[in-house]
Amino acid sequence: MIVTIHQPEHMVWLGFLHNLTLAEVFVIFDDTQFKKHYFENRNKIRTKDGSMWLTVPVKDQPLSTRIKDTLISHETEWIKKYLQSIKTHYGGTPYFKDYYPKIEQIFQKKHEKIVDLNIEIIEFLMEEFGVKPLKIIKSSELNIPDHIKGSDICLEICKRAGASKYLSGVDGVNYLKLDDFEKEGIEVIFHKFDHPKYEQIHGEFMPGMSSIDALFHLGPNAKKLLGL
């Protein structure tokens, strides 16, 4: 069983989705610490001037707050501004009318927690790109003791998820205790993604954008970027 573990990032990029195409079990790492100024509540879209961040505001909270407990701040009309940015920069793309209403519908629900918004977006993107891991579970459902951290928590998640192989991000090479995985009979594989190029309406191709960029430009053919 190939298991991958990933924080529920916001408006994920193509590399995130490509990782899921190689896995049989996707563990949503929702009980790890929320990181400010990272990808849990923001991601980039292409603009005529380069790129910009689409950001979901979150309420002030202790640094130790976990992703699953992080609350969205609805004190401002950020959803209107957020959606307007998408319309402004992607309104002229070939498949804007096919996907924008679905995205708008997700945001109009005004989710209370960032994890719920992000998971719904991930599920939407998985469906549109044809990504189908065998099983999706949350790490918070595995009841792992709080004192287990770093490489040890990745190993424990893999054990509880029934992994024979662990599909890790490339950064895992810097902190995973590979000997521990070997002792448990779990092979560690490091994910590699060579970002494909495609035509963007704003000029020279810019990689690393949210995967909605590919949907708006390529429509159903976007899944070919993942080898599907």
Side-chain angles (χ1 to χ4, degrees):
M1 190 75 72
I2 303 174
V3 173
T4 191
I5 305 167
H6 215 302
Q7 292 93 330
E9 294 181 353
H10 184 67
M11 281 291 183
V12 299
W13 74 302
L14 288 174
F16 186 111
L17 296 176
H18 181 261
N19 189 329
L20 301 188
T21 68
L22 306 175
E24 295 171 284
V25 178
F26 169 31
V27 179
I28 298 172
F29 199 7
D30 66 330
D31 58 351
T32 190
Q33 182 179 329
F34 175 86
K35 298 177 184 176
K36 286 188 176 181
H37 311 301
Y38 195 60
F39 290 96
E40 275 92 355
N41 68 318
R42 66 176 188 168
N43 219 315
K44 290 182 178 181
I45 60 169
R46 186 75 163 89
T47 73
K48 62 182 179 63
D49 298 315
S51 67
M52 67 170 285
W53 290 102
L54 285 180
T55 302
V56 178
V58 297
K59 293 186 177 182
D60 291 336
Q61 58 190 19
L63 292 176
S64 60
T65 304
R66 301 182 184 194
I67 295 174
K68 69 182 182 69
D69 300 318
T70 299
L71 301 176
I72 296 174
S73 174
H74 289 290
E75 295 177 3
T76 64
E77 293 187 2
W78 68 269
I79 294 177
K80 182 178 179 180
K81 180 180 178 181
Y82 184 110
L83 293 175
Q84 184 58 51
S85 294
I86 294 177
K87 287 190 283 187
T88 297
H89 299 292
Y90 289 117
T93 54
Y95 294 92
F96 176 78
K97 293 182 179 179
D98 295 86
Y99 299 104
Y100 176 77
K102 299 178 182 180
I103 294 172
E104 182 180 47
Q105 187 177 35
I106 292 173
F107 280 86
Q108 286 177 341
K109 294 180 182 180
K110 296 187 69 172
H111 297 78
E112 179 184 5
K113 295 182 178 182
I114 190 67
V115 66
D116 295 328
L117 171 62
N118 288 355
I119 289 175
E120 184 163 355
I121 294 171
I122 290 170
E123 290 175 341
F124 157 73
L125 292 170
M126 288 172 59
E127 181 177 355
E128 298 301 339
F129 277 88
V131 179
K132 298 177 181 178
L134 177 64
K135 186 177 182 181
I136 300 176
I137 57 178
K138 296 178 181 177
S139 59
S140 58
E141 298 170 344
L142 299 176
N143 300 315
I144 297 173
D146 291 342
H147 69 274
I148 301 179
K149 306 292 183 183
S151 177
D152 295 335
I153 195 169
C154 292
L155 177 57
E156 189 62 27
I157 288 173
C158 284
K159 288 165 60 178
R160 298 191 183 205
S164 58
K165 296 181 180 181
Y166 171 39
L167 180 60
S168 169
V170 292
D171 291 340
V173 71
N174 298 318
Y175 67 87
L176 290 177
K177 303 173 186 176
L178 299 181
D179 289 344
D180 291 349
F181 282 83
E182 185 176 356
K183 290 176 183 177
E184 295 292 340
I186 300 174
E187 179 184 356
V188 178
I189 307 167
F190 294 101
H191 176 238
K192 181 181 179 182
F193 180 64
D194 296 320
H195 204 302
K197 292 184 177 181
Y198 54 89
E199 187 174 347
Q200 294 170 328
I201 63 171
H202 295 304
E204 185 176 354
F205 178 74
M206 182 175 291
M209 301 297 103
S210 165
S211 53
I212 63 171
D213 185 272
L215 279 183
F216 285 138
H217 285 97
L218 302 177
N221 287 323
K223 63 181 63 177
K224 295 181 180 178
L225 300 177
L226 305 180
L228 299 174

